[in-house]
Amino acid sequence: MLTRKMRLLFVSFFLTISVFVNAQTKNRPNVILIIADDQGYGDLGVTGNPHIKTPVLDKLAAESIRFNNFNVSPVCAPTRSSLMTGRYSLRTGMRDTYNGGATMAGSEATIAEVLKQADYTTGIFGKWHLGDNYPSRPQDQGFDESVIHLSGGMGQVGDFTTYFKGDRSYFDPVLWHNGQQEAYTGYCSDIFTDEAIDFISSHSEKPFFCYLSFNAPHTPLQVPEKYYEMYKGIDPTSGFDDGRPFPEMSEKDKEDARKVYAMVTNIDDNLKRLFRKLKDLKIEKNTIIIFMTDNGPQQARYVAGMRGKKGSVYRGGTRVPFYFKYPERYKKDMDIETMAAHIDVLPTLAEICKVQVPHDRKIDGKSLVPLLNGSAVDWAERPFFSYWTRRYPEKYNNMSLQKGDYKLVGHTDYDASFEDFELFDLKYDPFEQHNIVSKQGEIAKSLKVELDEQYNELIQSENLVNPQHILIGTPHENPIFLNRNDADGERGIWAQEEIFGKWAVNITKGRYNIKFKFVKPLKEVGQMVLETGPVINQFKNEETGIDVLQMNDVYLPSIKGDLIPIYNTKSKKILPFWVELEKF
């Protein structure tokens, strides 16, 4: 038996360890990562837009470390996978925003999973767009709390709980709370901010990671009337007389800009509420705040003179604002001109929060801590690869490599030589107006060699060659909904009736009830056919005017392959809008 003295020594020892651990935990900062969807570099007052009202974000920029050469992917889902993992999107299995290519491999490690090594509580509120089924959902990838919409955007076909609301899809939506449908009241950006504030308030006593991922100002451009009223009379082309290039804007572009500015001002007001809560909780000093956007603007409008927009590898598509604020550690605001990118966020947070990055895979990003500390010494120039085409990269088409001040851009054929590319010196030509490939051939040739090496490596990535299959019949997600965003098959699957589609699945053997929902009520009798590898189940439907068909008590063996549903009539072959499978 322990003596009293020994017991006291043990108690003292464990109290000391407990105090040390608690001190270590408290020393770790909270992290709030804020990202807006399709908000371009020019959609802020601080970046020279005289029309938009963003006082909160402008103030944040003034108090932050500003990365003025920060780059992302040209479109949203690839940006988000790189942001979450520190890896180029192709390594994670992400190759598109839909077409069955917007599912990140479940084996990837996200910021949330990395921070949970230090017992962070994690939450996401808004847009995920990295997979809507197990094992790729937020709750499968390290998030304790999630309130999200599905697919790439509310009102899109993949987000079937809001799609049928049409021009009211951003209001009073049905969202997914920890994997379950739940009805909410209000405007989407307000709801996501409310949920983030509640999460922060509930977990402010220990380190937390809050990923506030607005779906605004992505289309459809819906906004509360009071915000639209602020902009309905403006001319978005006026007030720019500084000589920088400015895109041509149609009347539709101008109206779209008014709505976008209104949506961004709403975000600005919501961030005012969020930042006020940090002060009320007295945690603002020990909280990292990052604000960024995921790509350039979808529509033509002011983009600070840069060339291109969303989808383009020119700077208008890939350069975004990036503000980093951490008052406890960095007391002053500062401008950083060194090239940085979305792949750098995970290693940066890992170093500051004192956690390990995964060592069993290649992390393409680099910690920005040396730059945050004011030193670019030993910061070697490194290449940044960018591309965008549907489905898979098309060699040398809309593809670029930036290294230091030079950027090589390809809009050419697969067998093109370096002379067929564009080369820009961003130091003297930040708007990418002057192709100097004929004058700097050796630089272009060298950059093309590096581009080829990077492309050839990425295109052979394991998660791209062997993509993640949706797991059906597991206790993690039952029932399971297969939506149009994740359907592969013909290019451009959206809301069409007559189109071939399929889902890549891994089915657990068992008995299932299966529902097929259609975009429109069926007008003809026909045959519902479900192909799952060599197993085909079918039945004749004699009823018209209905939009849901059901197969009950269907036995499916273990299958890894394609799930293909087709409704055959005399005149059509119809793809269901979504498929629900419930194992019993």
Side-chain angles (χ1 to χ4, degrees):
M1 294 180 65
L2 295 176
T3 66
R4 175 180 171 79
K5 185 176 182 180
M6 290 173 66
R7 287 199 300 272
L8 289 173
L9 283 172
F10 272 106
V11 170
S12 176
F13 172 76
F14 284 113
L15 283 175
T16 301
I17 292 295
S18 177
V19 169
F20 175 76
V21 170
N22 287 335
Q24 289 292 94
T25 300
K26 289 183 179 179
N27 285 338
R28 287 188 169 92
N30 308 306
V31 179
I32 302 177
L33 174 54
I34 305 162
I35 185 170
D37 195 4
D38 287 1
Q39 181 178 348
Y41 186 86
D43 297 330
L44 290 164
V46 71
T47 54
N49 191 322
H51 300 294
I52 197 164
K53 299 175 177 65
T54 53
V56 176
L57 283 167
D58 294 348
K59 185 173 184 290
L60 175 67
E63 297 171 345
S64 295
I65 297 174
R66 299 169 293 276
F67 285 80
N68 296 327
N69 189 5
F70 193 88
N71 295 268
V72 295
S73 301
V75 291
C76 47
T79 287
R80 290 158 196 275
S81 64
S82 291
L83 177 64
M84 283 291 106
T85 65
R87 286 154 54 85
Y88 281 120
S89 60
L90 293 174
R91 295 195 200 280
T92 75
M94 298 292 293
R95 57 171 176 78
D96 207 335
T97 60
Y98 65 112
N99 284 314
T103 299
M104 189 171 75
S107 59
E108 290 296 323
T110 66
I111 293 174
E113 290 171 298
V114 168
L115 290 179
K116 286 191 78 64
Q117 296 175 84
D119 201 28
Y120 274 70
T121 305
T122 57
I124 174 176
F125 309 96
K127 178 171 176 172
W128 173 240
H129 202 189
L130 300 179
D132 291 334
N133 299 111
Y134 179 77
S136 301
R137 304 166 300 170
Q139 60 265 46
D140 310 320
Q141 297 278 191
F143 286 94
D144 300 310
E145 182 76 7
S146 65
V147 178
I148 63 167
H149 62 78
L150 300 183
S151 74
M154 296 172 66
Q156 292 189 359
V157 292
D159 192 38
F160 54 85
T161 58
T162 64
Y163 175 73
F164 291 103
K165 295 193 69 174
D167 61 5
R168 295 289 297 175
S169 59
Y170 280 22
F171 297 86
D172 303 330
V174 173
L175 301 171
W176 295 77
H177 181 202
N178 296 333
Q180 301 299 316
Q181 296 182 43
E182 190 169 317
Y184 290 80
T185 302
Y187 180 63
C188 57
S189 297
D190 301 340
I191 293 167
F192 294 136
T193 307
D194 288 343
E195 294 297 316
I197 290 173
D198 288 347
F199 170 79
I200 290 168
S201 299
S202 299
H203 301 286
S204 61
E205 296 299 318
K206 56 179 285 189
F208 62 79
F209 170 51
C210 176
Y211 182 30
L212 179 53
S213 179
F214 291 106
N215 60 302
H218 193 289
T219 55
L221 303 180
Q222 301 172 12
V223 66
E225 188 64 24
K226 74 171 186 177
Y227 287 97
Y228 177 73
E229 287 291 323
M230 298 179 185
Y231 296 99
K232 69 175 184 179
I234 70 163
D235 177 1
T237 65
S238 66
F240 303 100
D241 53 2
D242 54 9
R244 288 184 288 185
F246 195 93
E248 286 190 19
M249 294 180 68
S250 66
E251 289 304 314
K252 182 180 185 307
D253 290 332
K254 293 177 184 178
E255 180 62 7
D256 285 347
R258 296 178 188 110
K259 293 177 181 177
V260 166
Y261 294 167
M263 296 168 84
V264 172
T265 295
N266 170 266
I267 289 174
D268 199 74
D269 281 352
N270 274 303
L271 294 182
K272 182 179 181 180
R273 296 195 295 123
L274 178 72
F275 298 160
R276 184 187 302 124
K277 176 57 67 173
L278 299 182
K279 289 186 177 181
D280 292 344
L281 294 170
K282 296 181 172 54
I283 59 172
E284 73 274 19
K285 289 185 178 180
N286 195 39
T287 297
I288 294 171
I289 296 174
I290 294 173
F291 175 81
M292 61 181 291
T293 71
D294 64 349
N295 46 247
Q298 182 174 352
Q299 308 84 3
R301 59 181 179 271
Y302 170 71
V303 67
M306 293 184 292
R307 183 176 180 179
K309 56 183 180 179
K310 177 180 180 178
S312 170
V313 295
Y314 293 121
R315 298 186 87 197
T318 63
R319 182 188 174 208
V320 300
F322 186 89
Y323 307 133
F324 184 99
K325 181 180 178 182
Y326 180 14
E328 187 76 29
R329 183 160 169 178
Y330 302 105
K331 308 297 183 184
K332 296 181 180 179
D333 67 290
M334 179 171 59
D335 287 295
I336 294 176
E337 306 300 333
T338 305
M339 191 271 290
H342 50 13
I343 52 178
D344 301 326
V345 174
L346 180 142
T348 302
L349 292 175
E351 181 172 349
I352 293 174
C353 299
K354 303 181 181 67
V355 294
Q356 294 293 314
V357 298
H359 295 299
D360 60 345
R361 66 202 68 194
K362 183 169 184 177
I363 301 296
D364 295 293
K366 187 175 180 179
S367 172
L368 300 172
V369 169
L371 296 178
L372 292 168
N373 290 338
S375 172
V377 177
D378 299 327
W379 187 273
E381 290 185 349
R382 48 159 183 169
F384 177 70
F385 172 81
S386 186
Y387 89 94
W388 177 243
T389 46
R390 283 288 176 201
R391 294 184 71 83
Y392 290 91
E394 297 173 7
K395 193 174 183 182
Y396 301 155
N397 183 20
N398 200 27
M399 192 172 287
S400 71
L401 189 94
Q402 180 179 337
K403 188 175 183 181
D405 292 329
Y406 290 99
K407 183 175 177 181
L408 187 73
V409 176
H411 288 99
T412 186
D413 299 335
Y414 75 96
D415 57 351
S417 66
F418 72 87
E419 293 98 338
D420 298 312
F421 285 72
E422 295 174 291
L423 179 68
F424 303 104
D425 184 342
L426 300 179
K427 183 176 182 180
Y428 299 102
D429 181 21
F431 307 133
E432 297 170 302
Q433 299 293 306
H434 307 291
N435 179 12
I436 59 171
V437 72
S438 61
K439 298 177 182 179
Q440 298 285 0
E442 288 303 312
I443 292 175
K445 186 176 181 180
S446 175
L447 290 179
K448 183 177 179 296
V449 169
E450 292 194 66
L451 185 147
D452 285 337
E453 291 174 350
Q454 187 69 84
Y455 168 81
N456 289 330
E457 178 184 334
L458 291 174
I459 208 69
Q460 298 175 57
S461 298
E462 172 62 24
N463 290 329
L464 191 67
V465 176
N466 297 299
Q468 176 69 59
H469 283 54
I470 296 168
L471 302 187
I472 293 177
T474 76
H476 303 284
E477 187 179 16
N478 188 40
I480 185 170
F481 292 88
L482 305 179
N483 68 56
R484 281 284 184 101
N485 195 82
D486 296 331
D488 201 354
E490 290 185 49
R491 284 178 178 259
I493 292 176
W494 201 244
Q496 308 95 327
E497 279 193 310
E498 297 181 78
I499 195 165
F500 172 74
K502 60 183 181 178
W503 285 268
V505 298
N506 192 341
I507 300 175
T508 300
K509 70 177 180 180
R511 311 201 76 83
Y512 291 83
N513 290 331
I514 306 171
K515 290 181 182 178
F516 307 92
K517 164 73 174 176
F518 295 87
V519 177
K520 301 175 183 177
L522 300 171
K523 295 181 179 180
E524 299 179 69
V525 299
Q527 182 185 43
M528 186 68 233
V529 180
L530 178 65
E531 295 185 22
T532 47
V535 178
I536 300 177
N537 291 280
Q538 62 79 34
F539 75 92
K540 293 178 181 178
N541 172 51
E542 302 289 346
E543 191 174 357
T544 61
I546 57 173
D547 62 2
V548 175
L549 293 179
Q550 187 157 341
M551 289 182 174
N552 290 325
D553 196 14
V554 178
Y555 176 75
L556 297 177
S558 295
I559 294 171
K560 185 175 183 180
D562 292 331
L563 184 149
I564 306 172
I566 305 171
Y567 184 67
N568 293 315
T569 71
K570 288 184 179 180
S571 62
K572 294 181 179 182
K573 293 183 180 295
I574 302 174
L575 175 68
F577 188 55
W578 52 253
V579 180
E580 177 191 0
L581 299 97
E582 184 171 17
K583 187 172 183 287
F584 62 94

